[in-house]
Amino acid sequence: MPNRTADVLIVGAGAFGLSCAWWMSKRRDGSRILVVDEGEFAGGASGRNGAGFRMQWGLELNIRLCQESIRFFETAAEELDYPPGIGLKQDGYLVLAHSEKALKTLEAAVGTQHRFGVPSEILDPAECIKMVPPLGRERLRGGSFCGLDGSASPFLWLDALLRACRRQGVEVIYGVRARSIEPVEAGYRVHLDDGPVGVAKVLICTDWAAPELLAPLGIDVRTEPLPKEILVTAPIPPAVKPILVSLEHKIAVNQVDRGSVIFTVSRARTGTSTHSTSDFLGFAAPKIVDLVPGLAHVPALRAWGGVSSVTPDMQPILGETERDGIFVAVSSYRGFMTSPAVGRIMAAMVLDGDTNDPIASALHPRRFAAGETIIEPLLNQE
Amino acid sequence: MARSIVIIGAGPAGLAAALEAERQGARVTLVDEGQRPGGQIYRQGSPALGGKDVAEAAEIRRKHDLLDAFCRVRARLDYRPNTSAFALFGPREVHVATDERTQVLGADAVILANGVREVAMPFPGWTTPGVMYAGGAQSLIKGQRTLPGRNVVVAGSGPLPIVVAAQILRAGGKVAAFAPLHPVTAGARNLAGLWHGRGIVLEGLRYLATVMKAGVEQLTGFVPIRARGTERLESVVLARLDAAGRVVKGSEREIACDALAINYGFAANSELAAMAGARMRYQQLTGGWLPEVDSFGRSSVEGIFVAGDMAGLRGALVAETEGRLVGAAAATAPEAFVKQSFEQSWRKELTRRRRLCEFQEVVRAMLAQPRALFAVADDDTIICRCENVTVRNLRFAFSAGHLAPNTIKRSTRAAMGWCGGRTCLPMIMALAEIHAKAAPSAMMTPRPLARPVPLSALANPTKGQSDAEQDR
């Protein structure tokens, strides 16, 4: 295809890429937006995560990113004109502490959350177990709960965005990889599998793979792959109403509408494989049974892997790089839950040059070189 | 030192492989989901149930010969009934489970002999209680000595519906109608093939005679287009279809019944082979996604062998012969395996298998699966029963270009439930072909667990290797 052009090329059609494209298409009729993805629909981390969203964080910027995103999820079916809905469920998040230290961290975070209007509260162990009867009592010290947190279907969310994007004239192509970015006089020539495309601006939404495209241009984006694995059970009657997060077990538990329970289990591992590893089930099952002994009898159906990203301070990277016209949005493993707000912020930044958003200015890509550190108390920083 | 071999599946292929491998001095672990050996075709009921075997005498003889031979060596094998293999990452990592425990088995070679499952055609009402697979009806008769219903309609393609109709009658049941999709003479012009399978043809004719003698109404070319009944099946409407899958006007026949046994083909249980990374190929009529194997069952993954129908539907006789070949090959160290001399010493079996496979061409003519069958389902027909996904939901997904198993799964949840797509995937691929002109695409990514396993069993691993790994 000779002389193919677009105003903005978005690389990556995950939750970030599609949300950014949708917000861009909504902002300015006429901008030609092209989205390419080397994989298939929902094939990356956005289609492989535990499906949860929460505003229970310990840091203003995370609280606000998620508050805005959750408000959007609540009306997404209408906003995106997607009658099936996105499978929204707001039964709350219960973050569990199994030590005094963890409980103190939760108490401090709830204090911060209250300053931003998050209706969270501290529960004692008995209240936790009353809310989630299958929970193990041993070592449990309490938890923090917020009823506005919950989950949605990442698949439906991506499908809704994809259809809305295409309706508004965004071109979304799967199975096409962006190989390299070449600076030219009027912007960039991006070499795709199926030929070059001339664009004014490029937004990289390939998460952990962003450095691959940006390093050859001398752009330093500090992110690494963070592989995770998930186990899902057969459907059972309602047993786990809120989503559970155990700081000690490093497990998130989400019982979805149709009854299956999804366990997202973290462990130190590297690599970019999306396959379930051979020792995963043996690693995960004892921890799961320790956390929720009441679910021990439930059959496990399937396990899969996904690769999200992690940055040095475990916070997203949003902004323009040192190259004019090249932007990047890296999720640091919360892409699904922050994608509505990130889409809005990045669309304003890319199309209007609006960099005044207080969240975006704190998350700019050059913060590491400048020695700025952001600490989110609710993430395990070991 | 003796080779260690793990065999998955105790049907004719797995049993024959176990016997041969053991004869060659290998240490064999035989893993099977069933309570008793025999698999689907040689299924054994509990001795306590009594009752008579409704199979043909020759089949009963083959069954007893094989099971007797197995009984004689059983004590020398590590035989594990009620055990399922739920993940396979290579011959050193065979994950097996009982209801209580899991274990990772490691061996020099793994033989996958876990056969095929049935494929249904979806039509309005096909999920009504009382509608079942023909093989499922057969399991009730063989394994439980129970009739699938008081008055059964049997419909489908291939030889299985004939066998099942006859066995229902022999077990004392009533067959309300028998609707073979193709004339039972479909492959009759293949004389060489018929000759090679003359024994089986004879058995088939005897089954057919049972059906004819009972005066069962034969509706050749008819397929079920609607099942009626709410709590329980009350009647089935059968009709002829035109090439586009539309009902031929005036051909509808409503038949009262309380059970409908159907079979419209088979799909290979090849998930474990794919999970282990074996190269796969697609062949619709012999089981869909099949592992690529050579004449001794060697897959593209070192140490992983395949025997029997899972490498392509060819029936129990081929499975048993092939089981012996593959058992022998797996029992031989790769460095000692010289293909030419192996072919020399196994000439007789190789010839037998080749001839039996020629007979399978006859059978294949009865198995043809026109895509039109899948056009009978209307928009409200459920395709994925686990996740309640209808034809309408699938068409909505097709409209956004989701046409491959992975993306259909993500956009509809079809194949994400209990059965992991074992029931719905063949139908979904046919529907994608009919409604969106989709070509067969990549296989759905196989994920553990190939079978559901309780969390408590996963958390309760048996440490150490299998008996096959220990010196004796």
Side-chain angles (χ1 to χ4, degrees), chain A residues 40-43 48 82 155 159 163 166 231 234-235 258 274 276 278 281 285-286 289 295-296 298-304, chain B residues 86 89 93 95 387 396-397 399-400 402 406-407 410-411 413 416-418 445 447-449 452-456 458-459:
Chain A
E40 49 190 13
F41 167 76
R48 298 172 180 280
Y82 191 70
F155 301 121
D159 196 42
R163 288 169 192 262
R166 285 183 170 158
L231 179 69
R258 61 192 182 285
T274 56
S276 183
S278 65
L281 295 170
V289 172
L295 298 182
V298 179
L301 285 191
R302 204 165 50 253
W304 67 92
Chain B
F86 63 91
F89 298 95
E93 284 178 286
H95 293 243
E387 295 286 339
F396 183 67
S399 73
H402 306 311
N406 275 342
T407 57
R410 289 181 198 126
S411 54
R413 305 203 52 82
M416 282 196 182
W418 268 103
T445 311
R447 304 269 181 219
L449 299 58
V453 178
L455 288 166
S456 54
L458 290 171

Side-chain angles (χ1 to χ4, degrees), chain B residues 54 224 349 358 383 412:
Chain B
V54 292
E349 282 75 9
E358 278 180 47
I383 300 298
T412 65

Side-chain angles (χ1 to χ4, degrees), chain B residues 40-105:
Chain B
Q40 186 66 19
I41 182 110
Y42 298 151
R43 182 177 295 279
Q44 305 180 76
S46 162
L49 286 175
K52 66 170 181 174
D53 203 325
V54 292
E56 270 301 309
E59 184 188 319
I60 295 173
R61 205 156 46 236
R62 285 194 298 275
K63 170 179 176 175
H64 286 164
D65 286 350
L66 187 59
L67 292 172
D68 288 350
F70 176 69
C71 282
R72 285 193 290 276
V73 301
R74 182 172 164 160
R76 296 202 292 276
L77 307 178
D78 174 12
Y79 167 56
R80 302 185 182 205
N82 301 316
T83 304
S84 55
F86 63 91
L88 181 68
F89 298 95
R92 300 270 156 212
E93 284 178 286
V94 190
H95 293 243
V96 300
T98 61
D99 283 349
E100 288 82 33
R101 307 188 77 84
T102 51
Q103 187 175 8
V104 183
L105 305 179

